[in-house]
Amino acid sequence: MFMKKKVKVVAILLIVLVGSISVFSFSSKKISFYPEKVKVALRSVGNQLLLKNNDTTSLVLPIKRISDKTYEISFQKEIAINPEELVEIIDVELKKTELPQNYITELIDCTTKEVSYSYEVLGPIEENSISCIGRNFPESCYTIKVMMLDDTDHSLYGSVGNVYTFSMFVLLLIAMSSLTFFKRKEQNNTTEVNSNHRIIGEFLFFPDQQKLVKDETEISLTTKESEILNLLARQPNQIIKREQLIKEVWEDNGVIVGRSLDMFISKLRKKLTNNAEVKIVNIHGVGYKLEVTTKN
């Protein structure tokens, strides 16, 4: 039983450990991978714009992360920008990588540093009114700035992530509650056993229940047998006088019980025979002694 309890406790601790690592790992990915996902999406935006210009040789320069939520796309050569294509391409690439649909885009002239065109998107593109769709911007040096307004809805930590975290939180609560329950139960059982039993060699002796237990095998005792064994077990390896045994077990009621004592001692010896560490020794003319030896 004790081993089973230990296994349960170890299992609970493992669940808590795995749950904690999983939640931490999931949360860490949300923070660590988000910028890389944005950069991948915006680099694809830049490549799509070059293709719209029939340019298959020049490069999209490395995406710059200006701040936590602001990024810039720049090009090796001058490029013409069609606002309608810009809106459509950014929308498609952000959806493809399951990034937030709330953002602001600015088209900035590299020479003057002025904003040539900008628009804001909140939610699905069809629900937003985008101005200057019919206007084309001639070939020039442009930087496209994209400012993400919300980073809580991407794939790494979307609804699945929220459900997962909630489930793990509930699991942790259950595990901690179970651990506390088993700990208290084990403490209660230990207290109960310690206060109601004696250890005699390989036996557990329960005076109140009048029984011996060894390897989950119970040996029943009579009331007198239990009382006599209890007196002997109080002072193991010490002589208990016959007069004391008779007085405390038979309460000195005047009945001749000498032979009865010997008879009960004989019965106890038989019940203790399967434990070589324990034996009741007769000290002739004096009394009895419960000898308990310990194996090396």
Side-chain angles (χ1 to χ4, degrees):
M1 292 297 291
F2 178 70
M3 288 301 297
K4 288 181 180 179
K5 288 180 181 178
K6 287 184 70 175
V7 170
K8 288 181 180 178
V9 171
V10 171
I12 291 171
L13 290 176
L14 287 175
I15 291 173
V16 173
L17 179 62
V18 172
S20 301
I21 293 174
S22 298
V23 172
F24 176 78
S25 176
F26 217 76
S27 300
S28 298
K29 286 179 180 179
K30 172 183 181 291
I31 297 171
S32 301
F33 294 167
Y34 178 72
E36 282 67 30
K37 287 173 68 68
V38 175
K39 289 179 180 180
V40 169
L42 297 186
R43 174 166 289 278
S44 182
V45 168
N47 287 326
Q48 292 295 323
L49 290 173
L50 287 177
L51 292 176
K52 292 292 183 181
N53 279 259
N54 297 317
D55 185 346
T56 58
T57 58
S58 62
L59 302 175
V60 177
L61 299 180
I63 304 299
K64 293 182 180 179
R65 185 184 180 190
I66 308 302
S67 67
D68 289 342
K69 299 181 182 181
T70 304
Y71 300 81
E72 283 187 353
I73 310 171
S74 53
F75 303 90
Q76 185 181 25
K77 296 181 179 180
E78 293 184 346
I79 186 174
I81 301 291
N82 179 299
E84 185 173 359
E85 293 175 348
L86 176 64
V87 171
E88 181 181 357
I89 292 171
I90 291 180
D91 181 64
V92 169
E93 294 302 324
L94 293 185
K95 284 181 178 177
K96 187 186 299 182
T97 49
E98 298 182 321
L99 285 164
Q101 298 300 299
N102 300 337
Y103 56 92
I104 294 175
T105 301
E106 291 182 348
L107 183 63
I108 301 172
D109 188 299
C110 299
T111 305
T112 63
K113 304 299 181 183
E114 293 182 354
V115 177
S116 301
Y117 174 64
S118 66
Y119 66 93
E120 180 181 39
V121 173
L122 299 174
I125 195 70
E126 58 271 11
E127 297 178 5
N128 294 266
S129 177
I130 309 299
S131 60
C132 301
I133 289 296
R135 178 183 175 187
N136 292 323
F137 293 89
E139 191 172 283
S140 183
C141 177
Y142 295 110
T143 297
I144 301 171
K145 181 184 290 186
V146 179
M147 292 168 278
M148 314 303 293
L149 301 180
D150 183 11
D151 66 347
T152 61
D153 195 30
H154 56 84
S155 61
L156 283 174
Y157 208 75
S159 57
V160 175
N162 291 329
V163 171
Y164 181 86
T165 301
F166 177 75
S167 300
M168 292 308 303
F169 177 72
V170 172
L171 180 61
L172 288 176
L173 289 179
I174 293 173
M176 293 304 295
S177 300
S178 300
L179 178 62
T180 302
F181 171 76
F182 282 117
K183 186 176 180 181
R184 288 180 180 175
K185 187 174 181 181
E186 184 174 354
Q187 289 175 344
N188 291 339
N189 289 342
T190 301
T191 301
E192 181 180 349
V193 170
N194 287 341
S195 62
N196 291 288
H197 90 286
R198 293 179 184 279
I199 298 175
I200 304 176
E202 297 176 355
F203 287 110
L204 291 180
F205 171 43
F206 296 84
D208 295 340
Q209 301 177 44
Q210 298 180 198
K211 68 179 181 180
L212 289 166
V213 178
K214 179 186 177 185
D215 299 330
E216 298 185 359
T217 300
E218 293 188 3
I219 302 173
S220 299
L221 303 174
T222 65
T223 301
K224 296 302 182 185
E225 288 172 349
S226 183
E227 290 175 354
I228 293 170
L229 183 57
N230 195 30
L231 287 171
L232 294 172
R234 287 179 186 173
Q235 302 178 64
N237 301 311
Q238 296 185 32
I239 300 172
I240 309 298
K241 292 183 178 182
R242 292 177 62 89
E243 292 80 3
Q244 181 182 348
L245 290 169
I246 292 171
K247 180 179 180 180
E248 294 196 31
V249 175
W250 280 271
E251 299 180 355
D252 199 19
N253 56 13
V255 179
I256 298 175
V257 294
R259 291 183 180 274
S260 297
L261 174 61
D262 295 335
M263 180 187 67
F264 283 114
I265 290 292
S266 178
K267 290 182 178 180
L268 278 173
R269 282 172 174 161
K270 290 180 180 179
K271 293 181 178 181
L272 295 171
T273 51
N274 64 341
N275 186 348
E277 297 181 19
V278 180
K279 64 180 178 178
I280 299 175
V281 178
N282 180 20
I283 309 299
H284 185 70
V286 182
Y288 293 94
K289 176 172 64 172
L290 179 68
E291 287 189 353
V292 180
T293 58
T294 303
K295 293 180 180 180
N296 293 330

